[in-house]
Each structure stands twice: as C-alpha cells, then as structure tokens.
Amino acid sequence: MCKKRYAPMAQQGSIYSLSTPAVLIDETIVDKNIMRVQNYMDQAGLKARPHIKTHKIPEFAKKQLAAGAIGITCQKISEAQIFADAGITDILLTFNIMGAEKLDSLKALHEQITLSVVADSRETVDGLAATMDEKHPLRVMVECDTGGQRCGVQTPREARDLAQYIADKPSLTFIGLMTYPMPNAEDDVEAFFEQTAGLLKEAGLECEVFSTGGSPSLFSAERATIANEYRAGTYIYNDRSLVRAGHCGFDDCAMHILTTVVSRPTQDRAVLDAGSKALTSDLLGFADFGYVVDYPEAVITGLSEEHAVVDLSACSKKPKIGEKIRIIPNHTCVVSSLMSHIYVHKSGVFDRKLDVAARGKVW
C-alpha cells in the first residue's frame, strides 16, 4: 500500500481552519475523476449514467452531465425528486417501488421528467401498471441477477417472461435489461444479456437498453460488449476500497474526513473526534476504519459514535493533542449519507460549503 506522506497545505484560507469532524472534497480531483471515467466510457462506446448515491449533490451531478453523461441513477424516489427539482430531466430509479404512497410520488415524478424504473417481479409491475396512465406510459426495465445475488430475476427465460408481462401493460413500456453484477463479472453479464436478448427477439420484443454498472471493475466494462449503458457512483470521489481494487491511487481520492486529535492517553494511542457518525463502521473487508493520510502507519482500530481509537505503535512520528489529520474512508458513499454538508476546496484552499441535498432521502 502507498506510504506517501502528503505535503502540508497552505494555511491562509486553509481547510485546517475548519471545525472537525468535517468532510473535505477536493474539487480539482473531482473534476479529474469525472473526466477520466467519461473519457473511458466514450472510448468504450458506453453511455454513462452515474449513480448520485456517492455525492447526493445536484451541482456535482450537473458536472457529470456536462462531461457527457446521458442522465443519472438514483435509488429512492425522494432522492430523485431533489435532482428533478434541481433541473435534471433524465433519471433511472434502480429499486423495486412498492406501496401506494411511493407509487403516487413516483407518478408525480414521472409527470415532471423522463423517468425509468426497474422491476424483478409481477407484483412490482402490477403496482406500477395500476398507478400509471396509458396516455403517458412509464419506462420499465427488467432487473436481472447475473451473480450479484441481490435483486433480479434468476434466468434469461424469467427475464423474457417478465419483459412480456410489462409490454402487455398499456400504462408501461418495456425498454431493456438492468443488472448490478459482482466485480469483474463482465463475462457473466454478457452471457445472461446475450441469451435474454435472443429470447426477446424471438418474442418480438425490442430491447433498447442493456444497463450494467459498478465502480470496482469499471475499467473492464468494455468486456460486456452487449452492454450500452454503465452506472457507477464511487469514482467521482474514490475511496480506500477502490485503491485496494486497483481502480485508483490515494492521490485520486477527493474525499478526506478532517479530524482532531482530542486525546493521547498513552504513547501508542490517539483518540480522534470522528467516530462511526463520521467515518462509518463499514469495513468493506478491511480490518480497520480508514487510511490515515498524514500518518500512514497509524491504524484506526475501533470506533464508537463520536471517537476513533488509533494505534500509533508503528509510527516513527506521532500526532499531538489538537493536531488536525485527514482520513480517507473505506467507503465514501456512506459518509455522504452521514453529513448535512461538505467543504469544497482546491488543493487545500477552502472554496465553499455545499449542502448534501439528498441526505436522508431513504424512501
């Protein structure tokens, strides 16, 4: 793992003047990450539809659209509504929508923008069909389980059958297939989509969209040659998990959590003011809770709600009480959901504060 120690940042207008814990976003890195991925998508012949779960901020979604994305991906209706109200007009909701209240909200959103949704059961389709108007059909995709073992129909034949069920509903329009696969499973996506496409053709059903996604193996996306749309979110910030996956380096991580050393109870222990409510308890396979940028040998061994305990035994130089240090989180997306605002800077010089507009939008 990289042991690079970052150079100190200028103090005038510096991020180090902020109260902690604070989520810092380096806009220069954000812009670079957006262009890197958009350029790859263009070369691979894929339409980019970034997932906004990572940032939850309309201003950043508009950056992604300006770079060439065709629309955005959301998980929940209330989340999508924030972006629709901000002027974004093409949204895919990758979640089975159930319940009268949610369906009514979905219909209102459908009247506002170009909206697409997914379904993996007749029950979901029935709810959508009963709510929508055949004068303005809703675009629906069949979600397919290509190995991720989350939602999705299990076989190409089931996908064909559900596509036909959608197509038979006057208030719905079948538009394609969607999957969220395991990392590095492009061959499985290709096989499932190819077989399903053949069955759809035999049934006389047109399939406009073959949508796949995921950040960890994003740069292998071209291997699923049938796919024409790609959804990824984490790449805009990157995080420790994507460094481990070989997707990027620590220099490509736009999000840092700025923390303060509030205690040094022993020679080899520090306590920070950023606990699970700032760093998250999401390990993602790591044994510790984030990468300490300023002290790479330090290990965050435990979190309570407001404290992080750091083992300094491997550090030749150790932080002092009151010192502010930066953490790259294991999983950046969850951090965005914890914070009401972020602090945008350019190479350490504070620029502006942004609200995390879709934070807390969980239905």
Side-chain angles (χ1 to χ4, degrees):
M1 185 173 286
C2 173
K3 296 289 186 180
K4 177 174 178 178
R5 194 179 298 278
Y6 284 54
M9 296 178 177
Q11 290 298 307
Q12 186 174 6
S14 169
I15 55 173
Y16 287 99
S17 65
L18 298 169
S19 294
T20 60
V23 174
L24 312 175
I25 302 296
D26 190 324
E27 190 167 24
T28 301
I29 297 176
V30 164
D31 291 342
K32 183 182 73 171
N33 290 343
I34 290 172
M35 290 313 305
R36 177 191 182 206
V37 169
Q38 186 61 54
N39 288 339
Y40 169 76
M41 292 294 169
D42 291 343
Q43 293 168 9
L46 288 162
K47 296 175 181 178
R49 185 181 285 278
H51 205 314
I52 57 77
K53 65 171 184 166
T54 302
H55 55 76
K56 297 178 177 287
I57 298 171
E59 180 178 320
F60 284 0
K62 290 177 181 179
K63 281 178 176 282
Q64 293 170 306
L65 292 168
I70 62 165
I72 64 170
T73 304
C74 296
Q75 286 286 80
K76 301 299 180 73
I77 301 165
S78 57
E79 186 179 61
Q81 188 66 60
I82 294 292
F83 287 82
D85 290 344
I88 293 175
T89 59
D90 190 328
I91 299 177
L92 168 64
L93 271 174
T94 51
F95 208 89
N96 286 300
I97 305 301
M98 307 291 292
E101 184 178 2
K102 291 179 182 178
L103 287 166
D104 287 345
S105 295
L106 187 73
K107 184 176 183 180
L109 183 62
H110 179 45
E111 297 297 327
Q112 185 178 352
I113 62 168
T114 298
L115 180 67
S116 305
V117 301
V118 302
D120 70 354
S121 70
R122 291 193 172 199
E123 289 84 353
T124 300
V125 172
D126 287 342
L128 296 171
T131 304
M132 300 301 157
D133 189 335
E134 62 185 81
K135 294 179 181 178
H136 185 205
L138 177 67
R139 295 159 55 88
V140 184
M141 305 173 71
V142 173
E143 182 168 3
C144 307
D145 180 2
T146 58
Q149 297 185 341
R150 195 163 67 180
C151 297
V153 297
Q154 297 298 295
T155 68
R157 190 168 295 278
E158 287 179 57
R160 187 276 314 275
D161 290 347
L162 191 59
Q164 185 67 69
Y165 192 71
I166 294 166
D168 289 342
K169 303 292 186 183
S171 60
L172 306 178
T173 300
F174 168 71
I175 63 164
L177 308 175
M178 169 267 178
T179 189
Y180 182 70
M182 293 289 286
N184 304 304
E186 291 80 18
D187 292 346
D188 294 334
V189 173
E190 182 85 354
F192 195 111
F193 277 4
E194 284 281 8
Q195 188 175 348
T196 306
L199 293 171
L200 292 172
K201 186 175 181 180
E202 289 175 5
L205 295 172
E206 292 190 14
C207 189
E208 172 191 340
V209 183
F210 295 88
S211 182
T212 185
S215 288
S217 57
L218 186 158
F219 292 104
S220 300
E222 79 279 359
R223 287 176 48 197
T225 60
I226 192 172
N228 57 15
E229 178 180 281
Y230 202 90
R231 311 176 321 278
T234 312
Y235 74 88
I236 189 172
Y237 289 164
N238 290 320
D239 57 20
R240 192 183 184 200
S241 73
L242 291 189
V243 174
R244 178 184 58 191
H247 181 296
C248 61
F250 286 119
D251 286 347
D252 302 309
C253 293
M255 176 187 279
H256 292 169
I257 292 92
L258 185 68
T259 72
T260 300
V261 179
V262 294
S263 179
R264 284 289 311 280
T266 71
Q267 180 67 19
D268 290 334
R269 188 195 319 157
V271 181
L272 310 177
D273 64 353
S276 61
K277 290 179 178 178
L279 293 173
T280 91
S281 55
D282 200 345
L283 285 168
L284 282 187
F286 291 99
D288 53 339
F289 295 92
Y291 175 73
V292 184
V293 175
D294 305 286
Y295 296 89
E297 297 82 12
V299 179
I300 304 173
T301 57
L303 300 179
S304 54
E305 290 184 57
E306 307 292 358
H307 299 83
V309 176
V310 186
D311 180 356
L312 303 174
S313 59
C315 298
S316 56
K317 182 183 177 183
K318 301 178 183 182
K320 299 176 181 179
I321 292 176
E323 185 173 342
K324 292 181 179 179
I325 61 178
R326 293 164 293 163
I327 313 296
I328 292 175
N330 293 342
H331 191 184
T332 186
C333 305
V334 185
V335 174
S336 292
S337 190
L338 296 172
M339 295 293 176
S340 59
H341 50 261
I342 60 165
Y343 296 91
V344 179
H345 67 98
K346 296 179 180 178
S347 301
V349 179
F350 175 71
D351 186 74
R352 65 195 185 279
K353 186 168 91 170
L354 284 179
D355 290 337
V356 183
R359 175 181 182 253
K361 305 301 182 183
V362 295
W363 66 267

